[in-house]
């Protein structure tokens, strides 16, 4: 089975969490998707780049989620979510996925 890069998992968690919350109108379900992808990505980060990198990327993941809310008030929800997802994916790729 092919391995899914952690950058894809993290970005999918942010976009998927938003999509599920919006589609179902249940923010809690979106939070479950966001958390599940975050835990999965953190495990991959720890395995590929070590604990310190996993901690830093986890902080970035949570900060991206939190930061998307005020950003959405300025640029709209879709662009905000895709923007922060792209930023987290880029950071994840640079720190963990690029190596192997």
């Amino acid at each position: 089975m092919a391995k899914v890069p952690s950058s894809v998992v993290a970005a999918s968690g942010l976009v998927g969490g938003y999509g599920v919350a919006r589609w179902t109108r249940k923010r809690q379900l979106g939070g479950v998707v966001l958390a599940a992808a975050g835990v999965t990505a953190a495990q991959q980060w720890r395995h590929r780049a070590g604990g310190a990198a996993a901690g830093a990327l986890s902080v970035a993941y949570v900060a991206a989620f939190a930061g998307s809310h005020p950003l959405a008030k300025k640029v709209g929800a879709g662009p905000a979510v895709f923007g922060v997802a792209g930023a987290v994916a880029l950071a994840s790729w640079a720190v963990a996925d690029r190596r192997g």
Side-chain angles (χ1 to χ4, degrees):
M1 184 173 192
K3 293 183 180 179
V4 178
S6 61
S7 55
V8 173
V9 173
S12 297
L14 290 161
V15 173
Y18 165 73
V20 167
R22 185 170 175 116
W23 184 66
T24 64
R25 299 179 194 251
K26 300 204 182 298
R27 294 177 70 180
Q28 299 85 351
L29 290 179
V32 169
V33 172
L34 179 80
V39 167
T40 301
Q43 290 172 341
Q44 290 179 313
W45 294 328
R46 186 175 42 80
H47 177 71
R48 294 178 184 167
L57 288 168
S58 295
V59 168
Y61 185 79
V62 172
F65 167 70
S68 69
H69 291 83
L71 183 60
K73 291 180 181 178
K74 296 182 185 282
V75 299
V81 170
F82 283 104
V84 300
V88 168
L90 181 60
S92 179
W93 175 83
V95 173
D97 294 339
R98 177 174 54 158
R99 298 177 185 197

